Amino acid sequence: KQEVTQIPAALSVPEGENLVLNCSFTDSAIYNLQWFRQDPGKGLTSLLLIQSSQREQTSGRLNASLDKSSGRSTLYIAASQPGDSATYLCAVDDYKLSFGAGTTVTVRA
Amino acid sequence: NAGVTQTPKFQVLKTGQSMTLQCAQDMNHEYMSWYRQDPGMGLRLIHYSVGAGITDQGEVPNGYNVSRSTTEDFPLRLLSAAPSQTSVYFCASSYGTGGTLVTGELFFGEGSRLTVL
């Protein structure tokens, strides 16, 4: 059974600092990995989708890397802003999606 | 663009009552799914569908039924509500790759917050 872990559970940084969010998974036989953002009381919004054949994906200030052999993905958010405050979840697709519990980020102005 | 629409947004039930959570998408997605989100546990898959007439169980299917009579709609039925079913329920859809479970970018509804007393 795929296990997805996100550490830390919460993170607080000053505005302008780069954010590094971690996601680890136990079974490397995956089709893709997605990173999502969830605002309080809202649904999830897909940020980046990395196919198993890719090493990274970039969108604006966001960059996600994937290392299947070590079972890890990292989401980098450059020059954080207060608007980046949210919970970030990763999900691994190995025929069924498995989600991590998320990392709640607070960016202090 | 409506995307994925869930109704109701909030619901309070008494133990033993039944109800249906509605989910509709207007993106012609083949893959639709239901998740529940509980504090500290991430999202857990309840049921999913890869196309009209095809459904399957996820990780936590007990106490829930689904059907998929059209591409657009994927209702989730609670047969006899229990306090353990108090949760936030999310419906999600994606293009998928017809007939398989490999999903593309996943689109979520806003959630339905259910309390069972």
Side-chain angles (χ1 to χ4, degrees), chain A residues 1 31-32 34 36 38 40-47 49 51 89 93 95-102, chain B residues 31 35 37 40-43 45 48 57-59 90 100-111 113:
Chain A
K1 178 176 180 285
Y31 293 103
N32 61 54
Q34 297 188 51
F36 295 88
Q38 185 177 28
K42 299 292 186 180
L44 282 70
T45 301
S46 180
L47 297 174
L49 169 67
Q51 300 289 352
L89 298 93
D93 189 342
Y95 205 63
K96 292 181 182 178
L97 275 176
S98 299
F99 282 82
Chain B
Y31 180 85
Y35 293 88
Q37 185 175 36
M41 298 189 70
L43 277 78
L45 181 64
Y48 63 92
Q57 297 181 350
E59 181 184 357
F90 288 100
T100 75
L101 296 178
V102 178
T103 60
E105 182 183 353
L106 209 56
F107 294 82
F108 279 82
E110 294 272 291
R113 286 148 184 82

Side-chain angles (χ1 to χ4, degrees), chain A:
Chain A
K1 178 176 180 285
Q2 181 78 261
E3 300 287 343
V4 182
T5 304
Q6 292 186 249
I7 296 174
L11 187 60
S12 179
V13 299
E15 182 177 4
E17 189 165 304
N18 295 333
L19 282 164
V20 180
L21 306 179
N22 298 305
C23 173
S24 62
F25 48 95
T26 54
D27 188 342
S28 62
I30 65 171
Y31 293 103
N32 61 54
L33 183 146
Q34 297 188 51
W35 282 94
F36 295 88
R37 170 184 172 135
Q38 185 177 28
D39 294 296
K42 299 292 186 180
L44 282 70
T45 301
S46 180
L47 297 174
L48 290 168
L49 169 67
I50 311 175
Q51 300 289 352
S52 63
S53 58
Q54 297 175 312
R55 297 281 295 182
E56 65 178 328
Q57 274 282 10
T58 298
S59 176
R61 294 185 295 112
L62 276 61
N63 174 276
S65 65
L66 174 64
D67 184 344
K68 282 202 315 177
S69 61
S70 65
R72 292 180 183 176
S73 177
T74 303
L75 177 66
Y76 301 90
I77 304 177
S80 62
Q81 304 167 359
D84 294 327
S85 297
T87 298
Y88 293 83
L89 298 93
C90 67
V92 173
D93 189 342
D94 61 355
Y95 205 63
K96 292 181 182 178
L97 275 176
S98 299
F99 282 82
T103 296
T104 298
V105 171
T106 302
V107 180
R108 309 185 303 271

